[in-house]
Amino acid sequence: MTPAWAQRQEELLRDCIVSPDVFNHIVDRLGAFVVPYQQALATEAGQRNVHLYLQGLLSHLPHKNAEDIATFVDVERLVMQEFIGTAPWDHRPLIQVLVGQVVERLGEPDGIIAFDPSSFPKRGTHSVGVKRQWCGHRGKVDNCQVGVYMGYVSRHDHALLDFRLSLPQEWVRDEQRRQACHVPPEVQYQTRHEQCVEMLDLWGEQVPHGWVTGDDELGRHTRFRQDLRARGERYVLGVPSNTVMRDLEASLPAYQGRGRRPKAPWQSVSAWRQSRNPHVWTRFTVRDGEKGPVEIEMVTRRVQTRLERKHTGPEEWLVITRRPLADDSTLESQASRDATDHDTRYRYHYYLTSTQAHKSVLEEPSLGELARVIKAGTCIEASFKRGKGEAGMDEYQVRTWEGWHHHMALSLIAVWFLLGETHRGQQVTPALTLPQVCYGPSVLLMEVFLTLGVSYICRQVQRQLVRNESARFYHYRTRNCIPPRKLRRDIQ
């Protein structure tokens, strides 16, 4: 090994040395962190339970639902289940605090607002909003709930800010299911791109940004792109590989002086891509990956798309990226079946970006800037991975409208705490990552709540016995039968 390589290896290993300062007093810092969120709730019980629930989300529990969290923090199961599932407290003040903190720490003028749906597979039919629909988590149509999320990406880091539950039309029309899941009367059907516009209107002025991005599920809607242009927003939105467009830079036959002037033919973006010279692609490094630099090749073109009912849309720039199929992971997530296409060597993604915003003409962005915005989509996927992997974002066991929103809000807050602790710890341990930071409170909280011994064992076994016997009692009562007692057995 050459001296340069040996020196760099030594430096990298030195960055892994973990100081006790990373984890000292982390539980106390959690107590201070939660205070603004407690103050946003009106009741004393809510203020106490929000701290307990966050501690459960940050704990070692393999399943971070209300029942397991209640067992861990030693409160009555029904108390925690009611707090999450049916208590009528509003989660929106918590989101207001979260957005303010994210903007203060991560905000920058050319930040990126990223919208992305995320699915949660479900088995039954009673959870609010569940139906058979495209499930990105499993890459097929399946029984699931879908949430639409607004994230923020800057050069400092990325975080999820707000969310909406996508309520299908059949749920909106079914009054019996609405009442069973406590769906508020004012909640009506909204498309997912309408939910994104609603969140953008709510937070757009408060959250500094220069770009809006999203996957092909949003970009395929010409109305959504039109709404963004009307609001003066610059966007880079994924579109399906079968999007129809006209090349505005193509060479045209000479005009003969009669009839209509010739125009480029309509064709799909994938067909246009296949006709390109293989040397037009420009390679660009978008980030440093764990296995080396992550590179993509890009090409842009000024185009015109076809809208619904064969109307012609405004000018936009088409952006196509490609990466070798041999890469272990793709740069972007696949939102739908036709989000990408591929040949024998490469996988291709397609995007549209605006040439004008609110009647003002925009300069063509550089490839580097486009790559930065496209990368923001993968950052939001990483935010989902953080939430589901470290804070139990997908481990809820609630069926109600309130329960889903309560759990989501607290999961986002738990991840935000871990992110702050990661930034703090990286000051002394540069190699530190968020999952390793999560290991700290998960172990230290065991010391707070798990007083191991015979009394602890008896208390936990009794909790389970009470739960089992209560369930047996109610099952018998529904059949109008008095349940028999389980008599003691003499030890032989």
Side-chain angles (χ1 to χ4, degrees):
M1 186 181 297
T2 63
W5 284 98
Q7 180 181 354
R8 179 47 54 93
Q9 183 183 40
E10 182 182 349
E11 292 171 348
L12 294 177
L13 296 179
R14 191 184 308 129
D15 289 344
C16 298
I17 298 174
V18 181
S19 167
D21 292 337
V22 174
F23 299 109
N24 278 339
H25 311 297
I26 193 171
V27 175
D28 295 334
R29 288 195 296 276
L30 175 61
F33 167 84
V34 80
V35 169
Y37 298 96
Q38 291 176 314
Q39 294 172 345
L41 297 180
T43 65
E44 182 178 346
Q47 294 172 357
R48 179 178 64 256
N49 289 331
V50 71
H51 190 193
L52 292 174
Y53 200 80
L54 283 174
Q55 288 174 310
L57 292 177
L58 296 171
S59 71
H60 71 292
L61 294 173
H63 301 292
K64 298 175 182 179
N65 53 62
E67 180 176 351
D68 288 355
I69 290 175
T71 301
F72 177 69
V73 300
D74 199 19
V75 299
E76 287 296 326
R77 172 177 59 90
L78 294 178
V79 171
M80 192 60 71
Q81 287 181 331
E82 180 184 10
F83 167 70
I84 287 296
T86 58
W89 57 272
D90 190 356
H91 73 282
R92 288 172 293 187
L94 301 183
I95 297 300
Q96 179 73 53
V97 176
L98 173 65
V99 171
Q101 292 181 346
V102 172
V103 168
E104 181 180 1
R105 186 177 301 172
L106 303 184
E108 58 185 14
D110 60 347
I112 303 164
I113 290 178
F115 294 105
D116 199 7
S118 185
S119 55
F120 302 88
K122 292 293 175 182
R123 291 185 177 180
T125 60
H126 300 291
S127 298
V128 61
V130 70
K131 67 168 287 189
R132 284 190 61 82
Q133 54 193 321
W134 177 258
C135 179
H137 180 79
R138 291 180 173 169
K140 63 178 182 178
V141 174
D142 206 346
N143 203 56
C144 64
Q145 295 168 298
V146 176
V148 180
Y149 293 81
M150 173 180 168
Y152 186 69
V153 183
S154 73
R155 292 175 179 83
H156 307 292
D157 215 313
H158 51 87
L160 297 175
L161 299 182
D162 201 0
F163 52 88
R164 297 288 186 273
L165 176 63
S166 179
L167 197 65
Q169 288 189 6
E170 51 265 44
W171 271 85
V172 174
R173 295 190 295 262
D174 193 332
E175 192 59 36
Q176 184 176 357
R177 296 177 89 183
R178 289 178 65 111
Q179 292 180 1
C181 291
H182 304 176
V183 179
E186 65 272 14
V187 174
Q188 299 300 320
Y189 174 72
Q190 285 183 303
T191 63
R192 293 174 190 173
H193 77 266
E194 288 174 340
Q195 292 178 318
C196 293
V197 171
E198 180 180 86
M199 288 188 279
L200 182 63
D201 289 341
L202 179 62
W203 303 115
E205 293 186 2
Q206 182 176 345
V207 178
H209 65 283
W211 293 88
V212 174
T213 188
D215 62 23
D216 74 289
E217 185 173 347
L218 300 174
R220 71 176 64 221
H221 294 285
T222 56
R223 178 62 183 273
F224 182 56
R225 307 203 305 266
Q226 179 182 343
D227 289 340
L228 294 180
R229 288 192 296 269
R231 287 163 172 77
E233 299 285 356
R234 298 201 74 172
Y235 60 79
V236 176
L237 297 172
V239 292
S241 58
N242 56 6
T243 301
V244 177
M245 66 84 177
R246 171 187 286 152
D247 185 354
L248 297 181
E249 299 179 25
S251 299
L252 302 177
Y255 179 51
Q256 301 299 324
R258 291 179 309 212
R260 295 182 179 180
R261 292 184 178 274
K263 294 182 179 180
W266 294 105
Q267 58 185 321
S268 69
V269 291
S270 60
W272 181 88
R273 184 263 304 167
Q274 292 169 11
S275 66
R276 293 303 92 194
N277 186 310
H279 302 294
V280 300
W281 297 88
T282 301
R283 181 168 296 182
F284 202 89
T285 301
V286 294
R287 62 184 172 92
D288 294 325
E290 294 299 319
K291 297 182 180 181
V294 177
E295 298 180 332
I296 59 174
E297 294 180 277
M298 306 176 66
V299 64
T300 62
R301 198 73 162 186
R302 190 167 56 90
V303 302
Q304 199 170 29
T305 58
R306 178 174 283 177
L307 308 182
E308 291 81 0
R309 299 179 181 178
K310 297 186 178 181
H311 291 171
T312 301
E315 292 185 10
E316 294 172 285
W317 281 298
L318 171 68
V319 184
I320 306 179
T321 66
R322 73 179 186 183
R323 295 191 70 206
L325 288 175
D327 286 4
D328 293 333
S329 60
T330 59
L331 184 66
E332 300 87 4
S333 63
Q334 183 171 330
S336 62
R337 293 187 183 97
D338 53 4
T340 70
D341 66 356
H342 62 86
D343 54 25
T344 57
R345 294 183 59 192
Y346 298 100
R347 180 172 297 279
Y348 301 89
H349 290 75
Y350 304 88
Y351 305 86
L352 288 174
T353 183
S354 50
T355 61
Q356 61 177 15
H358 197 54
K359 299 181 180 180
S360 61
V361 179
L362 302 173
E363 293 183 2
E364 183 174 3
S366 66
L367 292 181
E369 185 71 358
L370 291 172
R372 183 178 74 90
V373 180
I374 290 171
K375 188 189 73 170
T378 62
C379 291
I380 296 307
E381 287 296 322
S383 292
F384 290 143
K385 185 176 180 180
R386 288 172 175 176
K388 295 177 180 181
E390 313 302 336
M393 182 177 173
D394 59 343
E395 295 177 8
Y396 55 89
Q397 292 181 356
V398 292
R399 294 180 174 178
T400 63
W401 176 272
E402 303 101 324
W404 190 88
H405 287 80
H406 292 167
H407 180 85
M408 285 299 152
L410 293 172
S411 296
L412 265 57
I413 293 168
V415 175
W416 177 239
F417 170 75
L418 292 175
L419 188 60
E421 287 297 310
T422 303
H423 289 179
R424 178 184 175 277
Q426 287 173 343
Q427 301 301 313
V428 293
T429 305
L432 198 65
T433 63
L434 189 141
Q436 279 69 52
V437 169
C438 186
Y439 176 73
S442 70
V443 172
L444 294 173
L445 287 169
M446 292 176 66
E447 296 183 2
V448 175
F449 292 106
L450 300 186
T451 54
L452 299 179
V454 172
S455 60
Y456 172 81
I457 295 172
C458 293
R459 188 165 65 252
Q460 299 307 318
V461 171
Q462 180 176 321
R463 289 174 67 100
Q464 191 61 46
L465 291 175
V466 169
R467 185 186 190 283
N468 294 345
E469 289 302 290
S470 297
R472 189 166 71 95
F473 173 82
Y474 287 113
H475 282 305
Y476 270 82
R477 194 172 71 168
T478 57
R479 299 187 179 188
N480 201 26
C481 300
I482 296 178
R485 292 187 62 188
K486 292 183 177 179
L487 302 179
R488 298 179 181 176
R489 296 177 181 179
D490 295 332
I491 299 176
Q492 300 297 328

